Amino acid sequence: MPSTIVTLDAPLDMHLHLRDEVMLRNIAKASAATFSGALIMPNLVPPVSSKEALLAYKKRITEAIGEEHFTPYMTLFFKSEYDRAFLESVREELTAIKLYPAGITTNSQGGVSGFDIEALRPSLEAMSDLEIPLCIHGETNGFVMDREAEFVSIYEKLASAFPKLKIIMEHITTKESVAALDRFENLHATITVHHLLITLDDVAGGMLQPHLFCKPIAKRPQDREALLKVALEAHPKVMFGSDSAPHPRHAKETCGCAAGVFTAPIALQLLTELFDTHRSLEHIQAFISGNAQKIYGIAPLSKKVILEKEPFRVPAEYNGVVPMYASEEIAYSIKGVRHG
Ligand code: NCD
Ligand code: ZN
């Protein structure tokens, strides 16, 4: 039987941590080799919160990716102090602004506490007028399994207070977030590949798996089913965002494991396998690129990635970072990448 060939055009990763310095230089090409572009998260130390910092970070990314054809879509770390004049001055340089609740995840200490709509109004109204999308890490500081579901009421408050503001619920993991998508026209979402594949059982049901530990934590089977449904049909309000979040091996395999799953080098292979297994390959192009192009109004560089159904053994590590499924075999391999 001839093996299955799948060609993806201009894959986009709309939630990516590229880090900085040595880590940036070590892992940037893992995304740039196969993706046409990615939305770059701003949670550096200190966070990217000025025009100068954003432009300097973009330059370091461009240097790290070298010859690859890859667009870094830049973001700023949300601050309620951002005023209209500042946002106007930076509009052309960014694709979105990312809001973190204070202290909820890696390097989010300077984020928002309390979600007082009136305190947020000046900056969010200006973003709405300037058509700057707002990406949100939606978790409260409640019980870990309920944090995202509890945050849905905050999404709803924001979505109705700022009906023209495009809000992206980042890396959703629950059926409650999926249900919210259809209630508000201005709510959209990214979904990771690991949350389509694993549940909390895979993280902590047997021996603890630090390389599958991330924020938000993987949830219940029924949550994964709800995510799979909208991803596999490429619901127009969802798009792929890997939340690939590398940490050095010593920060994961330790007492006090850092949160983040590193999937960048295998994300396309895993998604192709998943869509194939569920007989949904006709929708993968929309999930991996088309929906994001419409939601963000971006036109990525063409980049054809050819995948073949041939087993690929995932390396044990990439420059000191352990990927998801390290040393295991996955069903699809990348056969080639063509530009233009
Ligand atoms: C991310 C990181 O390490 O920067 N970690 C994670 O578990 N996803 C931050 C984030 O997106 O929450
Ligand atoms: Zn993230």
Side-chain angles (χ1 to χ4, degrees), residues 15-17 19 41-43 98 100 105-106 137 170-171 192 215-216 241-245 259-260:
H15 183 130
L16 177 64
H17 297 272
R19 311 301 193 202
M41 293 299 120
N43 61 331
K98 174 76 186 284
Y100 293 87
T105 189
T106 314
H137 182 119
E170 292 297 329
H171 43 50
T192 73
K215 302 285 180 72
S242 72
D243 194 18
S244 178

Side-chain angles (χ1 to χ4, degrees), residues 178 181 191 225-235 238 287:
V178 170
L181 277 173
I191 302 180
E225 285 308 309
L227 299 176
L228 270 171
K229 179 171 185 304
V230 284
L232 293 171
E233 72 187 20
H235 184 300
V238 306
F287 181 67

Side-chain angles (χ1 to χ4, degrees), residues 124-142:
L124 295 187
E125 250 165 24
M127 283 176 62
S128 176
D129 293 345
L130 295 165
E131 298 182 11
I132 301 174
L134 175 69
C135 302
I136 304 184
H137 182 119
E139 291 193 282
T140 66
N141 55 9

Side-chain angles (χ1 to χ4, degrees), residues 115-175:
F115 288 90
D116 171 356
I117 295 275
E118 290 320 307
L120 299 173
R121 186 175 292 283
S123 44
L124 295 187
E125 250 165 24
M127 283 176 62
S128 176
D129 293 345
L130 295 165
E131 298 182 11
I132 301 174
L134 175 69
C135 302
I136 304 184
H137 182 119
E139 291 193 282
T140 66
N141 55 9
F143 179 65
V144 67
M145 288 293 280
D146 297 334
R147 287 176 187 176
E148 184 178 300
E150 286 174 4
F151 199 90
V152 169
S153 63
I154 302 178
Y155 279 130
E156 295 187 342
K157 243 180 10 184
L158 292 167
S160 46
F162 306 98
K164 296 241 151 58
L165 178 65
K166 198 166 271 188
I167 298 173
I168 324 286
M169 304 188 283
E170 292 297 329
H171 43 50
I172 58 171
T173 59
T174 59
K175 58 184 176 15

Side-chain angles (χ1 to χ4, degrees), residues 143-145 194-195 197-209 212-214 216-221 223-224:
F143 179 65
V144 67
M145 288 293 280
H194 49 284
H195 290 125
L197 290 168
I198 66 171
T199 67
L200 185 59
D201 250 5
D202 298 285
V203 186
M207 302 266 267
L208 189 66
Q209 300 299 321
L212 298 180
F213 171 65
C214 66
I217 192 98
K219 304 287 186 318
R220 297 173 178 79
D223 293 304
R224 183 178 56 182

